[in-house]
Amino acid sequence: MGWGNIYKRRMKVFTLAVVIYLDYKALQQREKWTSKTKKAGLWEKAHERNAKRVLSLVVELEGLWVKLGQYLSTRADVLPPAYINLLKKLQDSLPPRPLEEVRRTIEEELGKSMHDLFLNFEDIALATASIAQVHRATLRDGQEVVVKVQHDGIKEVIIEDLKNAKSIVDWIAWAEPQYDFNPVMDEWCKEAPKELDFNHEAENTRKVSRNLGCKNDFQDTNMPSNPVDVLIPEIILSTEKVLILEYMDGVRLNDSESLQELGVDKQNLVEEITRAYAHQIYVDGFFNGDPHPGNFLVSKKPPHRPILLDFGLTKMLSSSMKQALAKMFLASAEGDYVALLSSFAEMGLRLRLDMPEQAMEMASVFFRSSTPASEALENVKSLVEQRNKNLKILQEKMKLNKKEAKRFNPVDAFPGDTIIFSRVVNLLRGLSSTMNVRVAYVDIMRPFAESVLQCNINKGPSYNAHWVHDTPVLSNVEAKLRQLLIDLGNDDKILGIQVCAYKDGEVIIDTAAGTLGRYDPRPVQPDSLFPVFSVSKGITAGMVHWLVDKGKLKLEDKVANIWQEFGTNGKDQIKVHHVLNHTAGLHNALASLTRENPLLMTDWDECLNCIAKVEPETEPGQKQLYHYLSFGWLCGGIIERTSGKKFQEILEEAFIHPLDLAGELYIGIPPGVESRLASLTVDMEDMKKISGIAARSDLPSSFQAQEISQMVTTLPAIFNSLQARRAIVPAANGHCSARALARYYAALVDGGSIPPPHSSSSSSKPPLGSHQHIPKFPSHKSPKKQKRSMCVRKTDISTGVDYIRVPSDNTSTRGGYGNGSNSGKLFSNPRIHDEFMGVGEYDNLTLPSGEFGLGFKKSYSNDGDLIGFGHSGMGGSTGYCNIEHRFAIAVTLNKMNFGGVTAKILHLVCSELGIPLPADLNRHAESLTNDGSNVVRPMIN
């Protein structure tokens, strides 16, 4: 192409763009003075004349613009009928190139004359498209074939058109930033030239055919779980510019009369095409990126299967991207905000602001069911209304004026791998609209998306050598523990788990294993965040004690004196120690309210107001019953009213910063950590043990077997939701890693002394404390990381070492302790353990012979000696410490059970270290049998 031709093509494209733009702008002004009855006619005429302009220029220029016209011709779901009716001619009905040119290309590419190659070659092309045209022929051996021949000089035309299109996209992005299509254009520039090499297309065709099993005659015994029934022509021969394929007798998708004569079920036809693409995307990770109607035939022979053609534009997905796309689809189908934002992070899609509702809405619209072309106008109106609504929300959230909001692009980074995927989904939607059928993408694609995740998850330790995260083994105890976890994983008792333990101030176990969720096959990392339910109570109680230690609060204080609104309905005598000891008489408070509307518990202020007005069931200090969710709101209200600060501010000040737990211990997660969240599921076999709860007299009436059975089945859905995870529910909504939780208890077991830096002890990556505690979106400047202030404390290291350290290349900085400003101590009270457990001078503040101290569950040995304290969650996650042996351990898991897994883990670790196991856990572990026949008392405390 000479510079003259290049300039002319460029000017024609830009001129047409300006003419169409001004035409519609003028019409917008004109309709203001036009009656309603005439408006529709004006718009229809405008669409028709502009569609003719587009078609005329595309036919003249050919090349890349034909591709664009083909794409537009499939969007019957959103474009006016005038464009669809005219542009669909581009699918296979372009003017053919001269026969002399076609023959010359064939002979040059194949090195033989037409006579030597073919018995017969039809002069009239079957179809002509943007890059090539197809002729029917018969080979010398008698085989019926089609010959695809590339247009002469098309490569130079395509490359020049890409440059022109890039210029237009750049201009649009400058003029209207919210319409920045550069990521789409960049991906197209990368992929489009590949279509110009037919050797590439031939290999793609063979690969997709193998993946879909088009040549296999499956027997009933080895039929794939999600088979598809489509045809793909066999490749006979290929060069860069010529492709010879098996001839298949079929009817074009846009030939409605022929389809009707054959009795083709268009609904089944389009659904099978959609299934074929779902298989390519989610199962194979290798798919055809150009499913416009011109690239399909329908076989004339029953059962009239779809014939897939033209694999020049294909896309290969990495395993991680394939899983992220599957996760995005399932998150959209189930309304799981956490999984959706997590999938965005995994695929590299970054947003400039936190708008999860709009993100879910966008995904739901993207995967919505298709509609017939007749409903295109309503679709467009709905999409415009929704966009205007989102703009208004954006404007309010970002405090922008209307003009600024329109120019704001909420996407900070768009991954190139998803561009062709998005194009395919839109083309499939347009295809179904063109065929006038409705396709429920959620129903059709779901099995394929589930299979790609489930096949990885179901392959437990016995199939996955990396099921246990690759961190150094720190002790012989940890080596034995990992083998136990592998055994439990093979028995399907573990989905994902973390275990971390400290002995004498050092990390001796730091293990992560399994996967993050049922639909999330990514491996659990040391910094993964697990929902730990009631383990949160041990953290919340610690915050109350921290305020007591700082002189801001007294255990004997009446709550009503701190929290004025609380002193109503007979609660004026309730004291702080009653709340911590579970004897405030409010164990069932708000239980009925949360049953009627579970998500009401996510409204912090409303729950504080409700708990302040509720009436107690018993006098304070009476029979000890486990406090329900009320414990968290009671303590939370006390914390905020005492300190004058927000709950989470005190959490950071008291524990996060001093212990260097940034980013790995939350009560109410901030935006930006979704990709590290583990998702909950339930061990249905363990549900059989729920009857063991009935014998527990310490549980409130709202927390009995029947209620818990119902709760356990709904908890995963509630606590996997973004609304619940972001809420402050101090009795049930902790999200943490085991290493963060273990470090917290390691500090408590040493009377508040801060242990040495975790990362230098265990070598787990990323180091504990390396995350920003409140992540920011990319458009915001990240806060500067605080400098560590290193303090030294003296400790009494036990002389009888009852475990073996595994040598490590990493040198532990034994002299450095913590980074807070508390001189290496969280608490100054030398009798803080007595305070936690409500013994000694604090004995009068607890119920005699009660299970709870002041906020913590007391642990006894089989001999009846008080040995430690901790707190377990409903799903089995646990934080626990033994005082005498300076031992602390944390277990976090996402497959909810009633304590069997945790009991086995603690039984192994404690027995190996010569540490007495808490009596209740010991009984629990001993009662477990391989067949699960024994009914055990589930761990909830």
Side-chain angles (χ1 to χ4, degrees):
M1 294 178 68
W3 281 108
N5 286 334
I6 291 173
Y7 179 77
K8 287 179 182 178
R9 288 177 70 86
R10 188 170 297 177
M11 286 303 298
K12 286 178 180 180
V13 171
F14 277 91
T15 299
L16 178 63
V18 172
V19 167
I20 293 177
Y21 175 78
L22 293 177
D23 190 357
Y24 281 120
K25 278 294 183 182
L27 183 55
Q28 286 177 343
Q29 296 299 319
R30 184 181 175 186
E31 72 169 346
K32 295 178 181 178
W33 294 279
T34 305
S35 63
K36 290 184 178 180
T37 56
K38 295 183 178 180
K39 283 183 180 180
L42 287 174
W43 279 101
E44 189 174 334
K45 289 179 180 179
H47 293 325
E48 190 169 337
R49 64 175 172 266
N50 285 317
K52 287 179 180 178
R53 287 168 175 162
V54 172
L55 178 62
S56 177
L57 186 64
V58 167
V59 170
E60 179 186 350
L61 298 182
E62 296 186 345
L64 184 74
W65 304 109
V66 175
K67 285 286 183 187
L68 176 61
Q70 289 173 337
Y71 175 74
L72 294 175
S73 73
T74 66
R75 298 312 308 276
D77 54 326
V78 292
L79 281 181
Y83 284 91
I84 305 302
N85 293 335
L86 287 171
L87 296 180
K88 69 181 180 181
K89 297 176 182 178
L90 299 171
Q91 291 169 8
D92 56 18
S93 303
L94 287 174
R97 291 294 181 95
L99 187 61
E100 293 76 12
E101 176 188 313
V102 172
R103 289 176 176 272
R104 183 174 64 252
T105 300
I106 293 174
E107 291 179 345
E108 288 177 355
E109 286 291 301
L110 299 180
K112 294 182 179 180
S113 68
M114 295 291 289
H115 175 74
D116 291 336
L117 290 167
F118 306 106
L119 283 176
N120 178 58
F121 187 89
E122 294 191 3
D123 295 344
I124 300 175
L126 289 175
T128 304
S130 57
I131 292 176
Q133 63 191 53
V134 178
H135 292 259
R136 187 173 177 182
T138 306
L139 296 178
R140 299 299 299 180
D141 62 5
Q143 183 176 3
E144 296 289 323
V145 297
V146 292
V147 185
K148 184 175 181 179
V149 185
Q150 191 173 122
H151 299 322
D152 190 28
I154 194 65
K155 185 174 183 177
E156 292 77 9
V157 172
I158 292 289
I159 292 173
E160 178 57 30
D161 288 344
L162 285 171
K163 294 177 182 177
N164 292 340
K166 176 66 174 169
S167 299
I168 294 174
V169 167
D170 286 340
W171 178 80
I172 293 173
W174 172 82
E176 302 285 344
Q178 74 274 26
Y179 295 118
D180 184 0
F181 299 113
N182 268 301
V184 178
M185 196 66 237
D186 292 342
E187 185 69 14
W188 206 353
C189 288
K190 184 174 70 174
E191 296 294 336
K194 296 178 183 178
E195 293 189 80
L196 301 170
D197 185 350
F198 288 172
N199 285 318
H200 180 76
E201 179 178 343
E203 182 53 37
N204 293 341
T205 305
R206 294 187 185 101
K207 185 171 183 177
V208 174
S209 181
R210 287 194 303 269
N211 289 343
L212 298 182
C214 294
K215 297 297 180 182
N216 294 332
D217 184 16
F218 294 111
Q219 303 298 320
D220 292 341
T221 55
N222 60 354
M223 179 71 73
S225 58
N226 291 300
V228 295
D229 191 15
V230 296
L231 299 173
I232 295 177
E234 183 180 355
I235 301 296
I236 308 300
L237 182 66
S238 70
T239 69
E240 183 181 353
K241 297 181 180 179
V242 174
L243 183 64
I244 301 179
L245 309 95
E246 168 191 9
Y247 173 76
M248 287 187 169
D249 194 15
V251 176
R252 293 283 177 186
L253 281 185
N254 55 14
D255 188 349
S256 300
E257 291 183 5
S258 297
L259 292 178
Q260 189 172 356
E261 289 176 5
L262 290 171
V264 174
D265 186 328
K266 292 193 292 184
Q267 180 74 37
N268 289 341
L269 180 71
V270 176
E271 286 184 359
E272 198 59 41
I273 290 174
T274 304
R275 284 168 48 78
Y277 274 83
H279 194 291
Q280 291 175 64
I281 293 167
Y282 295 119
V283 178
D284 308 322
F286 185 79
F287 60 95
N288 179 5
D290 202 18
H292 67 76
N295 285 343
F296 298 99
L297 294 174
V298 182
S299 63
K300 290 183 178 180
K301 294 181 179 179
H304 306 302
R305 291 180 286 177
I307 302 172
L308 279 55
L309 308 172
D310 193 349
F311 294 86
L313 178 60
T314 55
K315 186 66 182 177
M316 169 74 79
L317 299 174
S318 65
S319 177
S320 59
M321 177 59 73
K322 183 173 66 171
Q323 291 168 5
L325 289 173
K327 186 174 174 181
M328 178 179 71
F329 175 83
L330 293 168
S332 171
E334 297 184 2
D336 187 339
Y337 290 84
V338 170
L340 181 69
L341 296 183
S342 173
S343 70
F344 285 176
E346 290 163 39
M347 66 178 65
L349 175 60
R350 296 198 303 270
L351 304 178
R352 287 194 172 97
L353 72 169
D354 178 39
M355 294 177 65
E357 292 80 10
Q358 283 66 43
M360 176 60 72
E361 199 170 76
M362 177 183 71
S364 299
V365 167
F366 186 67
F367 292 115
R368 71 191 186 279
S369 298
S370 66
T371 55
S374 59
E375 298 178 18
L377 183 60
E378 290 302 316
N379 284 338
V380 173
K381 285 182 179 179
S382 175
L383 293 174
V384 170
E385 288 174 1
Q386 193 57 57
R387 181 178 179 275
N388 291 336
K389 178 183 173 183
N390 290 341
L391 271 177
K392 188 175 180 180
I393 295 172
L394 171 66
Q395 186 177 342
E396 294 173 354
K397 190 177 185 73
M398 300 293 290
K399 296 180 173 58
L400 304 173
N401 60 41
K402 194 172 183 180
K403 185 177 181 180
E404 289 172 333
K406 284 185 176 181
R407 292 182 61 83
F408 182 82
N409 188 342
V411 179
D412 185 70
F414 203 97
D417 282 348
T418 63
I419 299 296
I420 305 298
F421 166 77
S422 303
R423 182 175 188 268
V424 165
V425 174
N426 283 328
L427 281 169
L428 289 174
R429 187 182 312 285
L431 174 66
S432 62
S433 294
T434 302
M435 300 292 288
N436 204 36
V437 298
R438 297 179 188 273
V439 174
Y441 294 105
V442 170
D443 295 338
I444 293 176
M445 291 184 164
R446 185 178 194 123
F448 298 94
E450 286 182 337
S451 69
V452 68
L453 296 180
Q454 287 286 12
C455 71
N456 289 336
I457 292 171
N458 289 340
K459 291 181 178 179
S462 57
Y463 295 95
N464 184 358
H466 302 288
W467 189 80
V468 176
H469 187 68
D470 186 20
T471 50
V473 178
L474 303 176
S475 63
N476 63 328
V477 182
E478 183 168 29
K480 293 180 179 180
L481 170 68
R482 291 188 178 186
Q483 184 56 55
L484 171 64
L485 297 183
I486 288 172
D487 294 340
L488 291 170
N490 285 327
D491 288 341
D492 200 26
K493 303 305 294 182
I494 293 176
L495 183 59
I497 193 167
Q498 297 168 325
V499 182
C500 183
Y502 280 72
K503 181 74 171 68
D504 301 326
E506 295 186 18
V507 180
I508 62 168
I509 296 172
D510 190 9
T511 290
T515 58
L516 285 177
R518 181 185 173 198
Y519 291 136
D520 194 343
R522 291 176 302 141
V524 173
Q525 306 282 344
D527 65 335
S528 299
L529 300 174
F530 282 72
V532 294
F533 289 102
S534 296
V535 176
S536 314
K537 291 178 177 170
I539 300 166
T540 303
M543 294 166 65
V544 176
H545 286 287
W546 185 83
L547 289 170
V548 172
D549 195 73
K550 298 299 178 187
K552 303 289 187 182
L553 180 68
K554 293 181 179 179
L555 295 170
E556 296 86 355
D557 284 346
K558 291 182 178 179
V559 178
N561 292 341
I562 305 163
W563 183 359
Q564 187 176 359
E565 301 88 343
F566 186 80
T568 60
N569 296 325
K571 300 195 297 300
D572 54 309
Q573 296 304 310
I574 296 176
K575 297 180 179 180
V576 173
H577 66 82
H578 292 137
V579 172
L580 291 173
N581 188 230
H582 296 266
T583 57
L586 295 168
H587 33 273
N588 286 313
L590 306 195
S592 60
L593 179 143
T594 53
R595 275 201 302 268
E596 294 166 6
N597 180 11
L599 289 179
L600 187 60
M601 68 180 176
T602 64
D603 189 330
W604 174 247
D605 292 330
E606 180 61 24
C607 287
L608 288 185
N609 291 335
C610 289
I611 205 87
K613 297 174 183 176
V614 76
E615 184 176 346
E617 293 184 37
T618 62
E619 293 291 324
Q622 301 298 311
K623 182 180 179 181
Q624 189 180 54
L625 289 175
Y626 176 81
H627 268 169
Y628 190 47
L629 295 178
S630 52
F631 180 88
W633 295 312
L634 288 165
C635 289
I638 292 170
I639 290 167
E640 290 200 345
R641 296 307 190 274
T642 298
S643 65
K645 297 181 180 180
K646 293 294 185 182
F647 179 90
Q648 290 167 310
E649 291 178 303
I650 296 298
L651 175 60
E652 290 199 27
E653 185 179 348
F655 303 135
I656 301 297
H657 292 314
L659 291 172
D660 205 10
L661 306 178
E664 294 192 33
L665 194 153
Y666 296 104
I667 293 180
I669 63 166
V673 302
E674 291 82 10
S675 64
R676 292 194 285 125
L677 294 176
S679 297
L680 290 166
T681 187
V682 178
D683 186 341
M684 299 309 295
E685 280 296 310
D686 229 40
M687 285 288 291
K688 300 173 183 176
K689 303 168 186 174
I690 204 164
S691 58
I693 294 177
R696 293 193 58 169
S697 60
D698 59 323
L699 295 180
S701 58
S702 60
F703 215 57
Q704 292 302 311
Q706 183 177 354
E707 287 78 10
I708 292 181
S709 177
Q710 182 179 0
M711 185 187 303
V712 165
T713 57
T714 58
L715 273 179
I718 295 173
F719 279 90
N720 283 338
S721 74
L722 191 64
Q723 185 174 347
R725 291 192 170 200
R726 288 189 173 179
I728 305 171
V729 190
N733 201 30
H735 284 78
C736 61
S737 63
R739 65 184 185 175
L741 184 60
R743 184 169 175 80
Y744 170 70
Y745 272 98
L748 297 190
V749 81
D750 274 349
S753 295
I754 298 174
H758 178 96
S759 57
S760 62
S761 302
S762 69
S763 301
S764 58
K765 303 293 182 182
L768 179 61
S770 62
H771 288 284
Q772 296 173 14
H773 187 55
I774 300 185
K776 299 293 184 182
F777 285 86
S779 59
H780 294 198
K781 291 183 179 179
S782 300
K784 293 182 179 179
K785 192 172 182 179
Q786 296 182 350
K787 295 181 179 179
R788 293 188 179 186
S789 61
M790 307 301 287
C791 310
V792 179
R793 68 173 175 86
K794 294 181 179 180
T795 56
D796 296 325
I797 306 296
S798 300
T799 55
V801 179
D802 44 13
Y803 59 93
I804 303 170
R805 295 287 299 177
V806 174
S808 173
D809 293 333
N810 297 310
T811 303
S812 174
T813 54
R814 289 300 303 259
Y817 295 80
N819 70 341
S821 57
N822 296 1
S823 301
K825 293 279 288 185
L826 299 177
F827 302 97
S828 58
N829 182 2
R831 292 177 294 278
I832 192 66
H833 287 154
D834 290 350
E835 185 178 324
F836 289 160
M837 297 185 291
V839 297
E841 67 179 80
Y842 301 94
D843 185 63
N844 62 319
L845 303 181
T846 62
L847 197 69
S849 303
E851 291 191 48
F852 289 93
L854 294 175
F856 294 90
K857 173 73 177 301
K858 295 187 288 188
S859 295
Y860 296 88
S861 68
N862 284 332
D863 296 330
D865 296 328
L866 183 58
I867 57 175
F869 57 90
H871 223 295
S872 295
M874 172 178 280
S877 295
T878 295
Y880 166 74
C881 59
N882 179 291
I883 300 169
E884 179 184 357
H885 292 270
R886 295 184 62 213
F887 169 72
I889 189 169
V891 179
T892 56
L893 40 80
N894 59 353
K895 189 167 189 177
M896 297 174 62
N897 65 87
F898 286 125
V901 170
T902 305
K904 284 188 174 183
I905 290 170
L906 264 68
H907 185 272
L908 170 70
V909 174
C910 289
S911 61
E912 288 292 321
L913 297 176
I915 297 173
L917 188 68
D920 54 347
L921 278 176
N922 193 40
R923 289 192 297 270
H924 195 115
E926 289 177 354
S927 63
L928 292 172
T929 60
N930 291 330
D931 61 5
S933 59
N934 285 4
V935 176
V936 298
R937 172 171 149 149
M939 283 196 323
I940 301 174
N941 57 59

